[in-house]
């Protein structure tokens, strides 16, 4: 899956601020979840939400 340059730059900038970006792996789906300073349980919940295409 190739992301547009603007999305890749935004993801890199988010990493610099300590933000994690998770995208839906479904082709063509534009759902993105970014999180920072969350508990491990909340990070798992958000990751599961972003990667389960049937939930959005």
């Amino acid at each position: 899956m190739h992301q547009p340059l603007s999305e890749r730059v935004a993801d890199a900038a988010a990493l610099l601020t300590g933000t994690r970006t998770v995208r839906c792996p479904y082709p063509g789906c534009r759902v993105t979840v970014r999180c920072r300073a969350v508990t491990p349980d909340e990070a798992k919940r958000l990751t599961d939400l972003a990667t389960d295409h049937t939930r959005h």
Side-chain angles (χ1 to χ4, degrees), residues 2-48:
H2 296 284
Q3 298 173 355
L5 180 59
S6 61
E7 288 182 12
R8 291 171 39 203
V9 169
D11 290 349
L15 276 175
L16 292 173
T17 65
T19 303
R20 181 172 176 223
T21 302
V22 182
R23 297 185 183 283
C24 177
Y26 190 81
C29 185
R30 308 276 296 165
V31 169
T32 301
V33 173
R34 287 198 172 140
C35 56
R36 178 177 63 171
V38 296
T39 64
D41 289 338
E42 182 67 2
K44 182 181 179 338
R45 187 186 74 78
L46 292 170
T47 299
D48 291 345

